Amino acid sequence: MSASTAPVTTTVTGWGRTAPSAARLIRPRTYEEAAAAVRECGARGGIPRGLGRAYGDAAQNAGGAVFDMTGLDRIHAIDADEGTVLCGAGVSLHRLMEVLLPLGWFVPVTPGTRQVTVGGAIGADIHGKNHHVSGTFSRHVLSFELLTADGEIRTVGRGTPLFDATAGGMGLTGVILTATLGLLPVETSLMSVDTERASDLDDLMARLTDTDDRYRYSVAWIDLLARGAATGRAVLTRGDHAPFDALPARARAKALDFRTPRFPPAPAFLPEGLLSRTTVGLFNELWYRKAPRARTGELQRISAFFHPLDGVPHWNRVYGRGGFVQYQFVVGHGQEDTLRRIVRRIADRRCPSFLAVLKRFGRSDPGWLSFPLPGWTLALDIPAALPGLGRFLDRLDEEVAAAGGRVYLAKDSRLRPELLAAMYPRLDDFRALRAELDPRGVFVSDLSRRLAL
């Protein structure tokens, strides 16, 4: 084993920083080093990890090995005529945007951060603001190479059981080495954005239901501290990639430039309680009031529209040493009353969340553990130290499960295992394939142990 891949024991945590565990971190740079790392990972097994943006414990492995795959970061081939790219699993979406946008291509799906690797995007089967149009990331993956527990490297194509188990499988079927992706053609690196305010949750849902099909991208910031007649008030932001002729003449020479602002990082240490109900309530009031009642056709940079928080390195520090829980669930169409009840409960509980978004999902995706289903998804950040938070979220989990919904495993750090089967109907298929493919349990994580995946 080379010096670059020699294990280093370190504390590993998710982006929420709530459940750290110690593991041997190994950083392979070649297929051979990845195979050696899997072969030698030991009795506690190993789990692949990208840039660490899973919020919970999915990319941790207490007492075992964690494979840092960011060393496999080459872009191997681009077909600029067909719109495909072959790249290593450790390539970030940020790097793909840097390379592909000047050629007139964009990643087909991006979450709220571009600091995600391609392997992580497949493993979590990420979604974005365009799920109602484009589905999840895996829907645009043509094939990938997977290193399995027996040391074999398999080329996995769409429509196969191994593909569907790996998409959303949280790294538990093997280590993704490369992937071939289909891309989205664009004429500029700017977005044409419409913004409007919704007075309450029903107003917001009506606007989304009536007009979402006019937009490729759609998301609503929702004020979860507002109560009474204003419960669920929101700022709705929707748009599409700006066409070349929408740009002012002075901007056309640099129509495909990809520029990203960068601000100072969040301080390493912030006082506990900074995000109180009072401070978050003030922020939410100002954010809602400053938003236009209705504005159309505003040109925004891609980074501002999709990834505003990426400009602040280590923004997760603002929650203090205790970290935060990101809670995201989905309930299907016809379960709007469940969504209304949960929003009211969160508002009545006075959860200090300033990062809260509501989106509509389109049709389900093929991954057995993929999160989206047709309906409504709400995601919110909550300081982990909030008294009684665990019991409160447990009750929400039960309501979500009873409504046929589910929580997002890539963001989870606390779900009770007995609810998992109700949320993910293909769970038994996933477990059976894992048992056949990996009978010794080579691939394991804190998440898989906690939920008996």
Side-chain angles (χ1 to χ4, degrees):
M1 184 173 288
S2 69
S4 65
T5 58
V8 176
T9 299
T10 187
T11 300
V12 181
T13 185
W15 192 245
R17 307 200 302 168
T18 56
S21 60
R24 290 176 295 111
L25 194 65
I26 307 171
R27 191 170 190 252
R29 295 180 180 274
T30 65
Y31 284 19
E32 292 76 17
E33 290 179 351
V38 169
R39 188 170 56 248
E40 300 165 13
C41 64
R44 292 283 289 181
I47 193 71
R49 180 182 176 93
L51 287 167
R53 291 305 179 102
Y55 285 78
D57 54 3
Q60 302 171 209
N61 182 23
V66 170
F67 313 126
D68 178 346
M69 301 307 297
T70 57
L72 274 67
D73 59 355
R74 289 184 56 198
I75 296 177
H76 298 287
I78 299 171
D79 187 331
D81 294 323
E82 294 296 324
T84 63
V85 60
L86 169 63
C87 63
V91 173
S92 70
L93 299 192
H94 174 86
R95 179 59 180 156
L96 286 180
M97 293 177 196
E98 283 185 322
V99 172
L100 295 172
L101 269 168
L103 302 177
W105 296 98
F106 189 64
V107 294
V109 171
T110 177
T113 175
R114 58 185 179 275
Q115 303 302 332
V116 175
T117 62
V118 168
I122 298 170
D125 203 11
I126 59 172
H127 57 272
K129 300 176 182 180
N130 60 339
H131 187 274
H132 63 293
V133 173
S134 302
T136 57
F137 192 86
S138 68
R139 203 181 290 182
H140 307 272
V141 176
L142 306 179
S143 64
F144 53 80
E145 290 181 299
L146 186 72
L147 172 64
T148 50
D150 56 6
E152 182 180 346
I153 296 175
R154 306 169 188 239
T155 299
V156 183
R158 290 193 292 190
T160 63
L162 187 52
F163 188 103
D164 293 345
T166 303
M170 307 310 299
L172 295 170
T173 61
V175 178
I176 298 171
L177 300 173
T178 66
T180 302
L181 315 175
L183 305 171
L184 177 70
V186 295
E187 297 180 12
T188 74
S189 61
L190 294 174
M191 305 296 296
S192 177
V193 180
D194 295 352
T195 305
E196 58 192 287
R197 290 195 309 207
S199 59
D200 57 31
L201 182 60
D202 285 338
D203 181 28
L204 172 61
M205 290 194 292
R207 291 171 189 256
L208 286 166
T209 300
D210 293 344
T211 59
D212 237 15
D213 58 351
R214 302 177 191 172
Y215 298 90
R216 180 179 295 274
Y217 302 100
S218 179
V219 68
W221 169 87
I222 184 169
D223 182 359
L224 291 176
L225 283 175
R227 292 188 290 180
T231 299
R233 68 179 180 176
V235 178
L236 178 56
T237 307
R238 296 182 285 188
D240 207 335
H241 297 275
F244 183 79
D245 59 12
L247 271 58
R250 65 181 182 277
R252 293 183 178 182
K254 297 182 178 180
L256 288 167
D257 278 10
F258 179 52
R259 290 173 290 167
T260 58
R262 191 171 179 85
F263 302 101
F269 302 103
L270 288 167
E272 297 295 330
L274 180 65
L275 296 182
S276 66
R277 294 183 178 97
T278 300
T279 57
V280 173
L282 178 61
F283 171 87
N284 286 4
E285 181 70 27
L286 293 173
W287 192 260
Y288 181 77
R289 294 296 176 188
K290 85 174 187 66
R293 291 187 182 275
R295 180 175 59 201
T296 61
E298 180 189 14
L299 294 178
Q300 294 183 8
R301 292 180 182 178
I302 275 174
S303 56
F305 182 74
F306 289 110
H307 316 118
L309 288 175
D310 278 353
V312 183
H314 307 296
W315 64 261
N316 56 341
R317 294 174 179 170
V318 303
Y319 291 88
R321 293 178 183 271
F324 68 100
V325 172
Q326 176 150 125
Y327 186 68
Q328 183 170 7
F329 68 91
V330 58
V331 292
H333 294 304
Q335 292 294 333
E336 286 77 11
D337 282 346
T338 300
L339 177 63
R340 292 185 184 99
R341 283 196 302 272
I342 289 176
V343 168
R344 284 196 299 270
R345 288 183 182 180
I346 294 170
D348 290 342
R349 181 70 169 72
R350 309 294 288 158
C351 293
S353 176
F354 70 94
L355 291 176
V357 296
L358 182 75
K359 292 180 287 196
R360 284 181 77 231
F361 279 159
R363 62 187 175 93
S364 297
D365 302 279
W368 292 346
L369 297 186
S370 290
F371 168 64
L373 55 83
W376 305 91
T377 181
L378 178 66
L380 60 148
D381 292 351
I382 312 172
L386 191 70
L389 180 61
R391 293 189 301 276
F392 176 69
L393 294 181
D394 284 347
R395 291 194 293 271
L396 295 191
D397 290 340
E398 292 167 2
E399 188 157 3
V400 168
R406 59 185 61 145
V407 300
Y408 192 14
L409 297 182
K411 297 183 177 180
D412 177 58
S413 58
R414 34 141 310 275
L415 179 68
R416 303 199 314 272
E418 59 267 25
L419 293 177
L420 193 64
M423 293 181 172
Y424 289 91
R426 300 297 300 272
L427 179 62
D428 285 345
D429 294 328
F430 179 80
R431 286 171 169 161
L433 184 142
R434 276 200 72 210
E436 179 181 349
L437 191 67
D438 183 10
R440 295 183 296 115
V442 171
F443 295 109
V444 65
S445 65
D446 291 354
L447 173 80
S448 72
R449 289 192 184 95
R450 176 168 56 84
L451 294 178
L453 284 171

